């Protein structure tokens, strides 16, 4: 898991910028008035968008003007932490609560090249935060991926720092699970169902023994067929061939699946079946090169 960072912010205090390149972030916050989360292209730069969270409403500001608002009676609380998520992908900004995964705000706006997130008190009193950051490279353990990603044993409840990878009426998380004796394949975790699902052989399969990908230092790179970007994260294997994490857009959803380079497609589970697409996005770690052993299971591939 990533490092848990707990901190407080006050109105007028300098903002601290956290580098998060995965296109999504989750955090917990509590306080008396309003909390604000800013999205920026560079550390210390003006925020492209600011999500403001109050006790009974939330809204998005751009250039100081409100462009989207949502009213809800169960937002920010003063005495207990509430966990939220924000994602920015394909020029769509979304914000919601982690407990239900439903978007409270969904706005189509240009939010490309966002790499930094900052947290602040919008006005009034101090705000208190919890944020999970990627683990440092020097403390890598087995099953960790270089550059701040880590496979963590999962169950019915997601571990802290679980990577948001897609959206299907709620946020989806990246998992992997064994299938037969010679396959370790990535898939998706659906929080509302408490289920991990991967696809194989034309069908969707529910898995209970899973690992969840945790961390934030990654990006999604568009590709096609067998064009493998530098730094693609190896998530498993099918026999002697590596498998990568992919995702596709289908029926308005952003769905997670597996990339098999020899087949030149991304396979993904949807409505109890397995589908495939030649055009997809693949998970990439920007800190590693093609020659880096970006997954401990690389040893398994050379057996």
């Amino acid at each position: 898991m990533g490092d848990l960072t707990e901190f407080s912010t006050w109105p007028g205090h300098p903002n601290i910028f956290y580098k998060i390149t995965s296109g999504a972030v989750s955090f917990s916050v509590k306080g008396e008035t309003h909390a604000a989360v800013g999205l920026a292209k560079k550390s210390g730069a003006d925020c492209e968008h600011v999500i403001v969270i109050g006790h009974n409403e939330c809204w998005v500001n751009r250039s100081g003007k409100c462009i989207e608002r949502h009213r809800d009676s169960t937002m920010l609380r003063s005495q207990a932490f509430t966990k939220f998520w924000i994602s920015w992908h394909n020029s769509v900004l979304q914000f919601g609560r982690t407990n239900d995964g439903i978007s409270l705000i969904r706005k189509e706006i240009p939010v490309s090249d966002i790499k930094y997130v900052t947290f602040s008190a919008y006005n009034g009193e101090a705000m208190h935060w919890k944020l999970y950051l990627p683990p440092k490279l020097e403390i890598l353990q087995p099953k960790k991926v270089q550059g701040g990603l880590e496979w963590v044993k999962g169950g019915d409840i997601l571990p802290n720092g679980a990577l948001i990878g897609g959206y299907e009426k709620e946020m989806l998380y990246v998992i992997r699970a064994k299938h037969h004796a010679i396959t370790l394949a990535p898939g998706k975790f659906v929080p509302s169902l408490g289920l991990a699902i991967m696809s194989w052989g034309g069908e969707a399969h529910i898995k209970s023994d899973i690992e969840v990908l945790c961390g934030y230092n990654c990006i999604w790179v568009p590709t096609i067929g067998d064009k493998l970007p530098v730094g693609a994260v190896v998530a498993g294997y099918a026999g002697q061939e590596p498998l990568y994490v992919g995702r596709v857009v289908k029926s308005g959803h952003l769905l997670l699946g597996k990339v098999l380079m020899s087949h030149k497609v991304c396979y993904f589970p949807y409505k109890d079946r397995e589908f495939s697409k030649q055009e997809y996005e693949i998970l990439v770690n920007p800190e590693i090169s093609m020659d880096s052993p970006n997954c401990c299971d690389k040893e398994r591939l050379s057996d």
Side-chain angles (χ1 to χ4, degrees):
M1 291 177 288
D3 297 326
L4 172 62
T5 299
E6 298 188 53
F7 56 94
S8 298
T9 57
W10 290 265
H13 277 211
N15 292 353
I16 298 177
F17 286 77
Y18 297 89
K19 187 175 182 180
I20 298 175
T21 58
S22 62
V25 63
S26 60
F27 57 91
S28 298
V29 62
K30 68 177 181 179
E32 294 289 346
T33 53
H34 292 81
V37 181
L39 307 179
K41 295 182 179 181
K42 297 180 180 180
S43 178
D46 291 338
C47 293
E48 298 293 317
H49 299 88
V50 177
I51 297 91
V52 183
I53 311 166
H55 287 268
N56 54 16
E57 63 178 346
C58 57
W59 66 89
V60 178
N61 282 349
R62 178 174 174 82
S63 301
K65 296 182 180 179
C66 177
I67 59 173
E68 188 77 6
R69 185 182 295 269
H70 175 82
R71 299 188 183 278
D72 193 298
S73 60
T74 57
M75 295 293 295
L76 187 67
R77 293 178 290 179
S78 58
Q79 300 300 320
F81 282 99
T82 303
K83 195 169 185 179
F84 299 97
W85 57 267
I86 300 171
S87 71
W88 51 97
H89 172 75
N90 280 352
S91 298
V92 176
L93 176 64
Q94 297 188 87
F95 166 76
R97 285 183 297 262
T98 303
N99 64 339
D100 54 26
I102 299 173
S103 295
L104 301 176
I105 287 179
R106 187 180 189 279
K107 182 70 174 177
E108 294 187 6
I109 43 181
V111 288
S112 60
D113 299 327
I114 297 298
K115 295 181 179 179
Y116 289 87
V117 179
T118 186
F119 304 86
S120 61
Y122 189 69
N123 55 36
E125 304 295 328
M127 305 305 300
H128 308 285
W129 307 80
K130 292 182 179 180
L131 173 67
Y132 284 91
L133 295 174
K136 296 180 175 60
L137 288 177
E138 59 266 28
I139 59 171
L140 288 176
Q141 301 294 331
K143 293 187 180 178
K144 290 195 177 181
V145 183
Q146 288 187 353
L149 297 175
E150 175 185 9
W151 292 102
V152 177
K153 180 70 175 178
D156 295 336
I157 301 176
L158 287 167
N160 291 321
L163 179 67
I164 298 172
Y167 184 82
E168 187 179 358
K169 297 182 180 179
E170 61 183 298
M171 303 311 294
L172 302 177
Y173 297 83
V174 180
I175 61 97
R176 67 179 182 181
K178 288 188 176 181
H179 188 68
H180 303 312
I182 60 171
T183 300
L184 177 65
K188 65 183 179 183
F189 183 86
V190 185
S192 64
L193 302 177
L195 295 177
I197 305 171
M198 52 84 71
S199 67
W200 198 268
E203 299 179 349
H205 301 271
I206 295 174
K207 296 293 180 178
S208 57
D209 187 9
I210 65 169
E211 291 179 319
V212 181
L213 187 59
C214 297
Y216 298 99
N217 194 20
C218 56
I219 57 176
W220 294 92
V221 176
T223 187
I224 185 170
D226 59 355
K227 306 300 183 183
L228 181 66
V230 172
V233 175
V234 177
Y237 48 81
Q240 296 298 311
E241 184 173 357
L243 293 176
Y244 304 90
V245 182
R247 66 182 185 183
V248 304
V249 175
K250 180 177 175 62
S251 302
H253 304 302
L254 186 60
L255 304 175
L256 289 164
K258 65 177 185 286
V259 176
L260 192 61
M261 282 295 157
S262 63
H263 291 198
K264 302 181 180 181
V265 297
C266 175
Y267 291 102
F268 58 96
Y270 182 61
K271 293 186 176 180
D272 300 326
R273 293 176 54 196
E274 181 181 58
F275 295 83
S276 66
K277 274 194 172 185
Q278 286 189 316
E279 295 184 9
Y280 55 91
E281 290 183 325
I282 194 167
L283 186 66
V284 169
N285 189 322
E287 293 188 359
I288 59 179
S289 68
M290 190 65 77
D291 296 329
S292 299
N294 63 335
C295 181
C296 71
D297 293 315
K298 191 170 184 179
E299 297 178 1
R300 165 67 179 81
L301 298 173
S302 61
D303 288 345

